Amino acid sequence: MNDKLIEKVCEKCPATQWGKKSICSVHNLHVGKIETCPEWDKYIVSQQGLKDHDGQIAFVDLEPAMEWLQRTEEELRDYHFMLREIDRLQGYLEDAGEGTVGAYGIDASQPKGKGKNGDKTHAEVVRRERKWKRLSKLQETVKRIDQAVEGITDEKEKTVLDAIMDGEKNNFIARQIGVSRQRYYEIKRSVIIKMVWLMYGNDEVA
């Protein structure tokens, strides 16, 4: 796989200084020692990844596809953090007491009384409203991920996905599933492309 990518991508990449040293100025490595590269990902996507899904052409331009890949990978990496943040925000809002629940939404925009106490109350309501919106967004993202994960059926892809969501490092994941780092990156690319479609295929991506 790497040999093909080196031949198809690195040869045409200005960062490689091809024909002189075959050294990538971005990675500061000989092209034969590079294990993963955004330019490789772009080539893979342009050839097979997000351009064709269920017989439909989803992207004409490459950049939107790469943005969705990056967004999805970041959300998967942040999954564990999002769970902790949801718990923290829920605890904060619960500590505010039942009397503050009605302050969210339309009620939060109503005029407040003048004076120091009114200003403090308004500021607190605004702060809690902001936290409430953030909590809702995080819950929506976590729900979207949880539903999409059910669509991954390949065992190695499921293992890689679980490890990514747990925040494990790439080298550790490769060792855990007993594959080379090159093979791991191939599995990772495949599962993230699938997750893009499972998470966003019916929305903006389609």
Side-chain angles (χ1 to χ4, degrees):
M1 182 66 176
N2 278 28
D3 292 342
K4 180 180 179 181
L5 290 169
I6 290 171
E7 179 183 349
K8 297 292 185 180
V9 182
C10 296
E11 185 173 1
K12 300 178 179 63
C13 180
T16 307
Q17 303 176 33
W18 191 266
K20 297 180 180 179
K21 300 178 181 178
S22 300
I23 300 294
C24 177
S25 58
V26 173
H27 296 278
N28 198 28
L29 288 171
H30 186 281
V31 292
K33 295 184 179 180
I34 297 173
E35 294 175 352
T36 182
C37 175
E39 295 302 319
W40 291 1
D41 291 341
K42 288 180 182 179
Y43 174 79
I44 291 172
V45 169
S46 69
Q47 294 300 304
Q48 60 187 22
L50 296 177
K51 290 190 69 177
D52 187 357
H53 180 68
D54 290 341
Q56 297 182 350
I57 299 299
F59 282 108
V60 175
D61 297 324
L62 183 58
E63 289 306 316
M66 294 307 301
E67 290 176 8
W68 281 107
L69 281 172
Q70 183 177 357
R71 172 178 174 173
T72 301
E73 182 173 357
E74 288 175 355
E75 288 177 339
L76 294 174
R77 283 286 182 194
D78 288 343
Y79 180 82
H80 214 54
F81 160 77
M82 287 190 287
L83 292 180
R84 294 196 305 270
E85 188 64 0
I86 285 172
D87 285 342
R88 187 187 72 82
L89 291 171
Q90 286 176 331
Y92 178 92
L93 294 171
E94 287 171 3
D95 288 343
E98 294 182 1
T100 63
V101 175
Y104 302 129
I106 297 176
D107 290 342
S109 64
Q110 298 303 313
K112 304 299 183 294
K114 296 181 179 179
K116 292 183 178 179
N117 289 338
D119 291 342
K120 289 180 179 179
T121 301
H122 176 64
E124 183 63 15
V125 169
V126 170
R127 181 160 53 250
R128 288 170 182 161
E129 172 74 5
R130 185 171 62 247
K131 291 182 183 296
W132 181 264
K133 289 179 179 178
R134 185 160 179 262
L135 172 62
S136 298
K137 184 177 180 180
L138 288 171
Q139 288 175 325
E140 180 183 346
T141 302
V142 166
K143 181 180 178 181
R144 192 185 290 259
I145 292 173
D146 287 340
Q147 291 175 339
V149 167
E150 298 301 318
I152 303 299
T153 57
D154 180 86
E155 288 302 321
K156 283 190 176 179
E157 288 184 347
K158 286 197 290 187
T159 301
V160 167
L161 183 58
D162 284 343
I164 291 173
M165 292 167 61
D166 287 340
E168 301 291 357
K169 301 296 185 182
N170 289 325
N171 289 345
F172 176 82
I173 301 173
R175 289 196 302 269
Q176 286 293 102
I177 63 176
V179 299
S180 66
R181 282 181 292 182
Q182 175 184 332
R183 177 57 183 149
Y184 160 71
Y185 282 117
E186 292 172 3
I187 298 172
K188 177 183 173 183
R189 287 191 192 100
S190 174
V191 74
I192 290 178
I193 287 172
K194 290 178 181 179
M195 286 295 289
V196 171
W197 282 110
L198 291 166
M199 289 172 64
Y200 298 107
N202 294 323
D203 300 338
E204 297 93 333
V205 178

